Amino acid sequence: MPASSDFALSRRGLIVGSAASVALTTAPSIVSAQAAAAGGPAMSTISVTVNGKIHHLDLDTRTTLLDALREHLHLTGTKKGCDHGQCGACTVIVEGRRINSCLTLAVMHDGDSVTTIEGLGTPGTPHPMQAAFVKHDGYQCGYCTPGQICSAVAVLEEIEDGVPSHVTADLMARPRLTEAELRERMSGNICRCGAYSNIVEAITEAAGREA
Ligand code: FES
Ligand code: FES
């Protein structure tokens, strides 16, 4: 049995040791909180090519790609609908693939190439997909339209590349450009005006098929 003084010493040592452990485990969060308070938000410099032009941006690391495009580069063709990945209004093409720009941080795209609706065509020289949307009234208010068009351009590439969708029956065969395929692949782009039939007609025409 230890003497009572030994026990008291051991107990005090344990308490001191535990307190030191707690201090060590909590120290990083205290330090990072103090650093954040002292230094403000973490910033980062990225280089991104947008519509063929390289930009060097100093950004708060929390900035989404959508906000970088709209607020920093003033490319407001890309729309913010839900800001939660639910509507598709913010769709842009990054490195050849369509993404929701509200769901990705700009700093994740250092060195990437981004195409927005402004980079597809101009009113004088529209992209074939833009011209087809105009011809087939593929919109009413137009708010979802930039995202719809960027998505539609990428959809045709996906079909051309043989990427299957949920409704592709034969995964070993090249997907066919059917209405079911187009509606499934465009299902992430919501149109509150309900222009879906006209959108399918426009994409079908842009693909060089009979609407
Ligand atoms: Fe990005 Fe709605 S704004 S999905
Ligand atoms: Fe109005 Fe699609 S055209 S939301």
Side-chain angles (χ1 to χ4, degrees):
M1 287 285 290
S4 62
S5 60
D6 291 345
F7 177 77
L9 188 61
S10 303
R11 187 167 173 272
R12 185 160 51 245
L14 179 67
I15 291 170
V16 170
S18 300
S21 301
V22 169
L24 280 174
T25 52
T26 56
S29 60
I30 293 170
V31 169
S32 63
Q34 288 171 339
M43 302 294 287
S44 185
T45 302
I46 68 165
S47 298
V48 60
T49 301
V50 182
N51 301 330
K53 185 177 172 195
I54 192 159
H55 297 273
H56 306 287
L57 298 172
D58 283 320
L59 297 172
D60 182 324
T61 52
R62 298 166 293 180
T63 307
T64 63
L65 179 59
L66 173 60
D67 284 341
L69 292 170
R70 287 182 55 86
E71 309 301 332
H72 293 261
L73 297 179
H74 308 296
L75 293 169
T76 53
T78 305
K79 301 303 183 204
K80 182 181 284 188
C82 63
D83 211 16
H84 284 86
Q86 296 173 348
C87 72
C90 64
T91 304
V92 297
I93 301 170
V94 177
E95 295 293 304
R97 298 185 65 185
R98 56 186 172 144
I99 64 170
N100 289 336
S101 59
C102 72
L103 285 186
T104 186
L105 296 173
V107 292
M108 296 167 67
H109 298 286
D110 187 23
D112 280 356
S113 180
V114 179
T115 301
T116 69
I117 190 70
E118 292 93 339
L120 287 179
T122 65
T125 55
H127 185 282
M129 190 66 75
Q130 291 171 311
F133 266 67
V134 171
K135 177 179 174 183
H136 290 274
D137 286 333
Y139 50 84
Q140 288 181 39
C141 76
Y143 198 81
C144 73
T145 311
Q148 300 275 4
I149 291 177
C150 285
S151 207
V153 168
V155 159
L156 295 188
E157 296 276 329
E158 289 164 16
I159 293 176
E160 184 65 27
D161 291 345
V163 178
S165 81
H166 182 64
V167 300
T168 305
D170 183 355
L171 297 182
M172 302 304 288
R174 182 172 294 279
R176 294 175 52 236
L177 203 150
T178 62
E179 181 174 340
E181 282 282 1
L182 291 183
R183 285 185 179 270
E184 166 62 20
R185 290 170 191 268
M186 294 295 294
S187 60
N189 291 83
I190 308 301
C191 176
R192 292 205 302 179
C193 298
Y196 297 112
S197 298
N198 302 41
I199 290 170
V200 169
E201 288 176 9
I203 300 173
T204 305
E205 171 160 323
R209 307 288 176 87
E210 282 289 306

